[in-house]
Every structure is written in structure tokens, then in C-alpha cells.
Amino acid sequence: MELTEGLEPASPNAQYFNSSVLSVSIIGVMQSEVPIEINEARAISLLNDVFLPINTRFSSIMVKDRKGEKQWKRVEVKLEEHVNFPIFPTGLLPPSYDEYLEDYISNIAMEHFPQNKPLWEIHMVKYPTSNAAGTIIFKLHHALGDGYSLMGALLSCLQRADNPSLPLTFPSHQSSEPESGRKSVCGRVSRLCSFIFNSVSDFGWSMLKSTLVEDDRTPIRSGAEGVEYQPIMVSNMIFSMDCIKHIKDKLGVTVNDVITGIIFLGSRLYMQEISNKSTKSHSTALVMSGYKSIEEMLKPNSKVPWGNQFTFLHVPVPELKDHKSQNPLDFVLAASKIIKKKKSSLGVYLTGRFLEIVKKLRGPENLIITMVSYMGNLRISAVMEKGFLDPQRFKSCMENAFEKILKAADDEITI
């Protein structure tokens, strides 16, 4: 029987992430301060009443229409097939459950979703770890949306502890830059020329990196085929946001500049430990950049497209010339310079349009880094190819980079 009614077109990015050669999922981890005592029946009731109504994608499967184009089709959801309660050995200490949890996440991350039911599942871990009394793991296919949108959707299911009748609120971003007065004609022309040059440069470089120019093979990039099918390991790190803001204030940069600098330096330190010559290799970070508001997406009858409104930018990783004499702050300042240039450019938009036209995403990586900040901490998760990267050594290098940058910032004289 041909599927012709009740179909909604899948976005180009949704099709990229759910194909015969590529299947990408998002793993979201929610930690609880109190033990998780919910049973399967109660979990199913909550999912049916709160989770499914958020968006039709959560009760849809991806099918092909008569023209071979992928579409979303609504189906009846058997919620019991989407809820899991893993069983670990009982009576262990929290550090032991840390290892069980990391192994469990690594295993479910490698499993592909069946295409005959909606592309999501929830795992409720009732065992205490070093960081939480209980853990809820959300595995959602990237075809459903980008991480930013899906996180907003999940947060919309929660209630405030002080007053459940009120919606969750978060601090809004306020620019610290003073408003400028009337700008000269020469200044406007100069900025326009810089804007055009940066747009052409960023877009051209992104296209070259996507099609012709490859990075060197390094301890964080094997260059091997089929990386996306290899087992993975997950390494988690926690850094103080107060310390990161302290570095920001000392250098007069942004929080994102500091975080990017830490990741760049940590990656180079790891590469140096494995192979000293790789510190000067040509390496590029593929940065995912979104451009949509969660608030607009979640409004009733919103016409804003659901999820996947993002693009990729190629950002060169600065070289580590001499770790003993080189100022660690150079990595933060270099990141600041690069990010400012990207902001003064149409490269993000042009690259996104290019991806929509060619419908092609190239280059699964050996190392993927994601981050989120809350409760005064920055939590960084590094997903890496098992057997190729050393999770503990990489984590140690990232922590070393953080300490180096923090110490250098403390020694810096504020002007």
C-alpha cells in the first residue's frame, strides 16, 4: 500500500542523519539528587501525558513517499518498548557504578534505532553514582532535532520545585558591550569590506575542507574509513564556571572564548603526549552552530521549523609550538580572534545553504566534544573511538589545560 496521506516532509538534515550509511543519535543525561523510585507504569503515563504532546516527531517514523523522498508518518506508540530499566550488580559503591554507567552509555550509543518505531528511548538508572542518586538517559535520534532544540523540549517537561505552576526560567543573555553612537562613513565602509571578505574567506575555506583539503593524521584523527561504526567511550569532565568567568574577566574575552581555548590546548597537549611531532600538525575543529530560538519553537502552533536549524564551521586548531615557554593564554586569545571573525561573516548561513543544496554531510570523527553549563559548573563530555584514544589521558590533558590557563590568567596583569 502506498503511503500518501498524513505525511510531513523530513528536513534535509534529518535525512542526512538517518540514512543507510549514517545514523546519529543524541545522548542526554539527567542526574537526580534523590533516588529514582518511579515504576514502568508511572513512567509510561508521564511520557504519554507530557512527552509525546511536545512534538509529533516523537510519535512518528521516517518513511519514503512515491518519489523516494523521506517523510514523517504518525504511528501509534507502544511506550513500553521505549522505556528501559537496566540491571546492575547490587551493593556496590558509587565509583563502581560510575564505570557501569559509562559502559552502559557507550553500549546503547552504538545501537541503531529500528526504523519501524519512533526514534527515541529512555533509560532509567536507579543506582547511585559519584555525581547523582539516580540517572535518566535520553537517547534521541538526531533526525528528530538538534541537541539545543531537544534539550529545550525535555526541559519543558519539568516543573519548578518552588512553584510547579510557574514555567522554568533561565538567565537571559545580555550584551556587555556599550551602545555606540553615530558611526562614521569610513568606519561603516571598513566594516562592510571586512564583512564581505570574512564571508567569502569563511565560506570558501569551509567548502575546501568539506571537499578537497584533509587534516593530517594525528592521535585524535585516524583518517580511517568507517569510524562511525566503531565502538565508543565517553569521558566526562567538570570545571568551575566561576574560574572560567575569572579567566574571562582577566583577559576581556567571552566565556565561549575561554572554553574553546581550553579545548584547543587540551587537545594539543594530548596529541603531544602521544606523538610530539603532531603538535604542529594541521588540525581542524568542526564546530556545530545553531541559529534558532527554543522559546519560539515551543510556542503553541509555532510555525518555526522543528530542530536541525544549524550548520557546521571549520575552525583551525592553533599549533602548540613549545609547551614549556608558550603562554597558555595564546590559545584563548586565538580562539577569541577566530570567533570574532566568524561573527563578522555570512559563512554560517552560506555553509548551511550549501548543505541544504547538496544534501551531503562528510567526515565522521574520532573525537566529539559537547558541553553544557548549569549549577555553577561546566560539564564537558568527550565521545571518542574506543581503542584509538585514551579516555583517562585525554581527560587528564584537558584538566591540565584548564589549570595552565587559570594559573596564567592569575599571573596576568590586568590593564
Side-chain angles (χ1 to χ4, degrees):
M1 185 177 87
E2 291 184 346
L3 299 168
T4 57
E5 297 183 359
L7 302 182
E8 296 181 14
S11 69
N13 283 323
Q15 298 183 51
Y16 306 151
F17 288 122
N18 190 32
S19 66
S20 58
V21 296
L22 184 65
S23 181
V24 183
S25 298
I26 296 171
I27 303 292
V29 179
M30 182 179 294
Q31 297 175 333
S32 174
E33 291 184 345
V34 297
I36 297 176
E37 299 178 350
I38 188 172
N39 57 28
E40 182 178 357
R42 177 58 177 160
I44 288 175
S45 176
L46 287 173
L47 289 172
N48 186 66
D49 297 339
V50 180
F51 181 71
L52 290 186
I54 294 176
N55 194 274
T56 57
R57 299 292 178 269
F58 297 144
S59 54
S60 301
I61 62 174
M62 194 176 286
V63 299
K64 288 185 178 180
D65 62 14
R66 288 178 293 184
K67 297 181 180 179
E69 292 291 329
K70 291 184 177 180
Q71 310 277 338
W72 291 107
K73 178 177 176 60
R74 293 288 298 274
V75 296
E76 181 179 350
V77 184
K78 297 180 179 179
L79 290 170
E80 64 274 8
E81 297 180 357
H82 295 261
V83 183
N84 302 274
F85 291 86
I87 303 298
F88 298 161
T90 58
L92 302 181
L93 296 176
S96 297
Y97 285 125
D98 289 346
E99 297 181 11
Y100 275 98
L101 180 63
E102 289 184 0
D103 289 342
Y104 185 76
I105 293 175
S106 298
N107 290 333
I108 65 173
M110 292 303 301
E111 298 173 355
H112 286 201
F113 282 107
Q115 296 296 305
N116 61 348
K117 60 182 182 180
L119 304 174
W120 62 271
E121 60 191 30
I122 293 178
H123 305 257
M124 297 191 176
V125 182
K126 296 186 176 183
Y127 303 92
T129 63
S130 298
N131 298 315
T135 306
I136 301 177
I137 305 168
F138 298 87
K139 181 181 178 183
L140 306 109
H141 201 287
H142 227 316
L144 297 172
D146 56 77
Y148 187 73
S149 301
L150 292 172
M151 183 173 69
L154 294 176
L155 290 175
S156 72
C157 298
L158 305 180
Q159 295 178 327
R160 288 176 52 155
D162 60 339
N163 190 342
S165 64
L166 296 177
L168 288 176
T169 57
F170 299 92
S172 60
H173 174 73
Q174 295 180 351
S175 175
S176 59
E177 297 179 0
E179 293 185 4
S180 58
R182 183 174 297 177
K183 299 173 182 177
S184 66
V185 174
C186 291
R188 292 178 181 176
V189 172
S190 175
R191 281 185 291 274
L192 177 61
C193 292
S194 176
F195 178 77
I196 295 173
F197 176 80
N198 289 338
S199 298
V200 174
S201 174
D202 288 345
F203 178 65
W205 180 241
S206 290
M207 293 305 98
L208 285 174
K209 294 297 295 184
S210 297
T211 55
L212 299 175
V213 181
E214 285 193 1
D215 278 0
D216 297 332
R217 296 195 177 196
T218 67
I220 63 172
R221 180 183 183 273
S222 66
E225 296 291 335
V227 171
E228 62 272 25
Y229 302 113
Q230 299 303 314
I232 64 170
M233 290 292 292
V234 180
S235 181
N236 298 304
M237 294 148 270
I238 300 178
F239 300 107
S240 166
M241 281 301 298
D242 287 338
C243 292
I244 291 175
K245 291 176 181 178
H246 171 68
I247 299 171
K248 171 188 78 75
D249 294 337
K250 293 282 287 188
L251 300 184
V253 295
T254 68
V255 168
N256 284 343
D257 295 338
V258 177
I259 296 172
T260 306
I262 293 171
I263 293 173
F264 282 171
L265 178 57
S267 299
R268 284 297 186 186
L269 290 175
Y270 175 83
M271 293 161 68
Q272 181 188 54
E273 282 199 8
I274 305 299
S275 174
N276 190 61
K277 65 180 181 180
S278 67
T279 57
K280 295 184 179 181
S281 60
H282 295 288
S283 299
T284 307
L286 189 63
V287 179
M288 183 183 294
S289 176
Y291 47 93
K292 189 181 59 174
S293 165
I294 287 180
E295 289 77 11
E296 290 297 320
M297 180 196 69
L298 292 176
K299 286 181 178 178
N301 303 317
S302 173
K303 297 186 181 298
V304 176
W306 171 264
N308 290 323
Q309 303 300 302
F310 60 86
T311 186
F312 296 95
L313 288 178
H314 295 84
V315 179
V317 180
E319 297 180 4
L320 181 61
K321 299 174 182 178
D322 185 349
H323 77 285
K324 293 183 179 180
S325 60
Q326 185 173 1
N327 188 346
L329 300 181
D330 290 345
F331 282 82
V332 178
L333 297 175
S336 178
K337 182 178 179 180
I338 294 171
I339 292 174
K340 283 182 179 178
K341 180 183 175 184
K342 299 294 182 184
K343 287 181 178 178
S344 178
S345 165
L346 275 176
V348 173
Y349 173 77
L350 294 175
T351 304
R353 294 298 298 169
F354 175 79
L355 286 176
E356 289 183 11
I357 294 172
V358 301
K359 292 188 178 181
K360 181 180 180 182
L361 181 64
R362 181 175 177 266
E365 306 297 329
N366 301 98
L367 174 65
I368 300 174
I369 296 177
T370 59
M371 64 206 74
V372 63
S373 63
Y374 70 98
M375 299 294 290
N377 289 317
L378 173 73
R379 296 170 182 259
I380 296 180
S381 293
V383 180
M384 56 195 73
E385 181 184 344
K386 188 175 183 179
F388 178 68
L389 282 94
D390 184 331
Q392 292 303 320
R393 183 177 289 188
F394 184 82
K395 178 179 180 179
S396 176
C397 289
M398 291 292 292
E399 292 171 343
N400 188 19
F402 174 75
E403 294 298 334
K404 283 178 176 288
I405 290 176
L406 180 59
K407 183 179 184 302
D410 284 334
D411 295 339
E412 187 80 1
I413 299 176
T414 304
I415 300 177

